[in-house]
Amino acid sequence: MPTYGCKYRRTMNSTSALPPSVHVLDAPAQVEHEVAQRFAVLAQAAINAKGRFNVALAGGSTPKGAYARLAREFRDRVDWSRIHFYWGDERCVAAEDPQSNFAMAKRELLDPLAIGGEQVHAMDGAAAPESAAVRYSEQLRELPLSASEYPVFDLILLGLGKDGHTASLFPGDMNALENPERRWVLPGLSPEGTRERLTLSFGTINAASHVIFMAVGAEKASPLRSALTGKTLDIPASLVRPNNRPAEWYVDRAAYAELAG
Ligand code: 6PG
């Protein structure tokens, strides 16, 4: 039974060699703060070590609070000029569209920190998905390459969908999930909302130095239990098993409810 608050807990009943580490926080605001704190620590460590931090941001609504906190509470604690911002996925809409993951991060994080120009590597949601995926893969060539020949991000932030999707890797989208050509970036297909998507592949996600998941709310309790205790294409998030170290999960008590036992 985990101790609530900012406590570290290993979920030992996952099926991978590297069980994910789960931080169970009392409320969403604490999840936001802990993720912002962890982002800042990882960013400054990478900047100190190699002068640059390459991060792929998550979309959806959960990360909004963490991004706003980074811009507000960590403004002076990170050398933001050394960070390059990418995206883990994008909806195929114009950059100004309210549905755009780029627009959300720009509003909550980049604009408040006056970050732009060559530090920002947005996916092109306005273009045809296939050509946009190819072009984004080309942009990732500036990143280091893993032994399995995928680009290595220092950090990839991910959310968890009610159906167990993550990034834009959705249940049933077998081309994206199986990725037979070992592509770095793929067109994805969502069953609802903005259907056409762009997404990093599992190969790229699992090559990252660090992966952080965020999940809050009772509606994520079932997919969270499935993601942490299984390993199946039906729950794409369960297939995020980073090669370098366990994924880090930051969740609130409501999302953890089915695992609290
Ligand atoms: C997206 C995200 C997606 C998101 C989950 C959770 O484009 O929608 O990348 O993977 O993280 O759907 O979304 P919420 O945070 O809104 O619950």
Side-chain angles (χ1 to χ4, degrees), residues 59-63 89 91 101 159-161 165-168 197 220:
S61 57
T62 304
D89 72 316
R91 292 87 180 269
N101 289 335
L160 175 66
H165 80 261
T166 191
S168 281
R197 304 288 188 100
K220 303 297 173 76

Side-chain angles (χ1 to χ4, degrees), residues 65-180:
Y67 297 164
R69 283 176 183 266
L70 276 168
R72 196 172 56 242
E73 301 171 18
F74 294 83
R75 170 185 299 272
D76 302 324
R77 295 163 58 178
V78 176
D79 182 354
W80 294 99
S81 69
R82 298 290 188 151
I83 301 182
H84 282 251
F85 295 88
Y86 300 78
W87 273 259
D89 72 316
E90 186 54 277
R91 292 87 180 269
C92 292
V93 294
E96 309 73 34
D97 189 300
Q99 280 295 312
S100 162
N101 289 335
F102 164 76
M104 183 273 279
K106 184 176 187 294
R107 182 178 63 249
E108 301 296 338
L109 178 62
L110 304 180
D111 285 354
L113 291 171
I115 293 169
E118 63 175 21
Q119 287 181 259
V120 179
H121 309 267
M123 292 179 165
D124 185 355
E130 178 54 36
S131 61
V134 170
R135 284 202 312 279
Y136 205 66
S137 292
E138 290 301 316
Q139 282 199 57
L140 301 187
R141 291 194 182 285
E142 66 180 15
L143 299 183
L145 211 55
S146 72
S148 50
E149 299 194 338
Y150 284 98
V152 179
F153 284 94
D154 295 303
L155 171 63
I156 296 180
L157 294 172
L158 294 172
L160 175 66
K162 289 180 288 187
D163 60 358
H165 80 261
T166 191
S168 281
L169 295 163
F170 288 89
D173 184 5
M174 299 317 288
N175 179 58
L177 294 175
E178 292 180 337
N179 187 23

